[in-house]
Amino acid sequence: MGDVDAQFLRGLFDEEGSLYTGGRTALYRLYGLEGLLYVGISVSPLTRVRTHLREQPWGPSVIGIQIDYPPDAESAEREAVFTERPRHNVVFNGRNPPPPPDPASRLRTELAVERRRLEEFDSAVPESPTHLRLIERGIRSKKAKIAKLLAEIGSLETGGL
């Protein structure tokens, strides 16, 4: 590896060896063979993930990590845990978690999940015409669901049912 490459890689990390985030809070997801294991937030996501891997009994089963930087990480964490139900989250993930404060908030959470799934469909590269048809069907379905959720949110916010 050349000096320029090494400098670039070092520039990605802060003095403590964590991914440089510019002070932003990251939302991270840890995955295992059985699906989503844990969702959390941190200003030093790689350091926090390393702690989970070392200290949690489920740490050795982590096989994938996803790191995002949403505008409101705390709300995004709450929504992700509530809607995606990671296996090892304790906070926000009781057997019967409290409902969101109002119906519009619940629908916004569902809307965020549907938009994320739509982005996943949009970014998929088809392997064959059959895959393309399945992806197109998924995109149409998600767009219809998003339109329905937006209409329901608008109805609730304007006082109608």
Side-chain angles (χ1 to χ4, degrees), residues 110-111 113-122 135-149:
E110 190 175 345
L111 176 62
V113 169
E114 294 298 330
R115 282 184 169 155
R116 190 184 78 247
R117 289 180 181 154
L118 174 60
E119 287 174 10
E120 291 169 0
F121 278 126
D122 276 334
I135 291 169
E136 288 172 339
R137 185 183 322 160
I139 289 171
R140 282 192 303 274
S141 170
K142 293 304 169 196
K143 285 182 178 179
K145 180 74 173 192
I146 287 170
K148 180 182 174 202
L149 289 168

Side-chain angles (χ1 to χ4, degrees), residues 28-113:
Y28 60 92
R29 290 175 174 85
L30 304 178
Y31 296 91
L33 289 174
E34 64 274 16
L36 184 60
L37 298 175
Y38 188 82
V39 173
I41 58 173
S42 176
V43 293
S44 299
L46 295 180
T47 301
R48 187 70 181 122
V49 168
R50 278 195 302 263
T51 302
H52 289 307
L53 296 176
R54 276 192 322 264
E55 297 178 2
Q56 295 297 329
W58 46 266
S61 62
V62 173
I63 60 169
I65 300 167
Q66 177 185 356
I67 300 175
D68 297 304
Y69 293 90
D72 183 353
E74 290 179 9
S75 293
E77 177 191 29
R78 182 180 298 271
E79 290 176 7
V81 173
F82 185 75
T83 59
E84 299 171 39
R85 309 293 288 173
R87 177 173 286 209
H88 296 289
N89 278 80
V90 176
V91 178
F92 316 133
N93 200 11
R95 290 200 184 277
N96 295 307
D102 61 86
S105 178
R106 181 186 59 76
L107 290 172
R108 275 191 209 91
T109 299
E110 190 175 345
L111 176 62
V113 169

